[in-house]
Amino acid sequence: MAVASTNSADKSASTFGFASLIETMKTRIARYRVYRQTVNELSELSDRELADLGLHRSMIRRLAMQAAEEQFAR
């Protein structure tokens, strides 16, 4: 009987691990989508428009990464 209870405990632990993996993947995909959207939107701006915002084109990727991380850090 002890073996049966151990097996059921292993199943619930592996199910929890799998659910956690799925949630992690969902979060990563959502974060990547925010990153790509931000990069795309900022890349469409002209150098003049970026300068008006106090940005340089070389800053786009870093700013997009920060935006995605901040949105999902909550």
Side-chain angles (χ1 to χ4, degrees):
M1 195 57 144
V3 174
S5 64
T6 303
N7 287 341
S8 64
D10 288 342
K11 285 183 181 179
S12 65
S14 65
T15 302
F16 177 73
F18 184 70
S20 176
L21 176 65
I22 296 297
E23 286 303 313
T24 300
M25 293 305 296
K26 286 181 181 180
T27 302
R28 286 184 180 182
I29 290 168
R31 184 183 299 145
Y32 180 73
R33 286 181 178 161
V34 169
Y35 168 80
R36 286 305 318 159
Q37 181 179 1
T38 306
V39 167
N40 290 339
E41 289 177 5
L42 290 175
S43 294
E44 290 176 2
L45 298 176
S46 69
D47 288 337
R48 174 64 189 249
E49 292 169 323
L50 287 171
D52 288 344
L53 295 171
L55 304 175
H56 188 270
R57 194 159 298 279
S58 64
M59 300 168 68
I60 290 175
R61 289 184 185 158
R62 181 175 48 88
L63 291 171
M65 186 64 70
Q66 286 176 347
E69 288 175 2
E70 286 174 6
Q71 184 170 356
F72 289 96
R74 302 176 200 161

